[in-house]
Amino acid sequence: VQLQASGGGSVQAGGSLRLSCVASRSIFSVFAPNHMAWYRQVPGKERELVAGITSGSITNYADSVKGRFTISRDNSRKTVYLRMNDLKPEDTAVYYCNAYRADGSYVWNWGPGTQVTVSS
């Protein structure tokens, strides 16, 4: 597994979680130059972009999470984070991280993701 996501869980609406995504040793040397993003997917739907952060730490967010989620990265730890506040039931999904190219394609294989469940 090249990217290991963790930190998911079950929370009530309005709660918070912080997800982490750590790169494996095999991609340590190329982590910092890559743009990173968090995605999420629910059964029967396409995987969607939640938040992205460029190699220069410029961030962007899906409209549905703006003001509630914050993406950050620590290149020294080869880790990207997603702080999620004011969670809503519609945030329930499996969350994944990956690096992305300018054309939108993904760089590495998908890991198993981490499940986030928000109850009302």
Side-chain angles (χ1 to χ4, degrees):
V1 176
Q2 294 170 306
L3 294 164
Q4 183 68 57
S6 63
S10 296
V11 297
Q12 290 192 323
S16 299
L17 286 171
R18 189 179 82 153
L19 307 183
S20 299
C21 176
V22 183
S24 69
R25 283 190 168 276
S26 66
I27 58 174
F28 263 15
S29 63
V30 294
F31 178 84
N34 272 287
H35 308 318
M36 297 296 298
W38 283 96
Y39 305 81
R40 65 187 181 189
Q41 188 171 26
V42 297
K45 291 191 175 181
E46 297 273 328
R47 192 166 354 223
E48 64 171 353
L49 174 71
V50 175
I53 184 167
T54 68
S55 57
S57 294
I58 296 171
T59 59
N60 64 284
Y61 298 92
D63 287 343
S64 59
V65 306
K66 278 181 183 175
R68 300 189 296 122
F69 290 13
T70 302
I71 188 171
S72 61
R73 66 190 296 163
D74 184 341
N75 289 335
S76 67
R77 295 178 184 272
K78 311 298 188 280
T79 302
V80 61
Y81 303 98
L82 186 67
R83 176 67 181 180
M84 306 186 295
N85 294 329
D86 190 23
L87 282 160
K88 302 177 180 181
E90 51 264 41
D91 295 319
T92 295
V94 178
Y95 284 70
Y96 305 85
C97 65
N98 208 330
Y100 63 94
R101 301 183 182 93
D103 64 2
S105 61
Y106 311 121
V107 175
W108 295 311
N109 296 325
W110 292 103
T114 186
Q115 175 72 47
V116 172
T117 303
V118 185
S119 57
S120 57

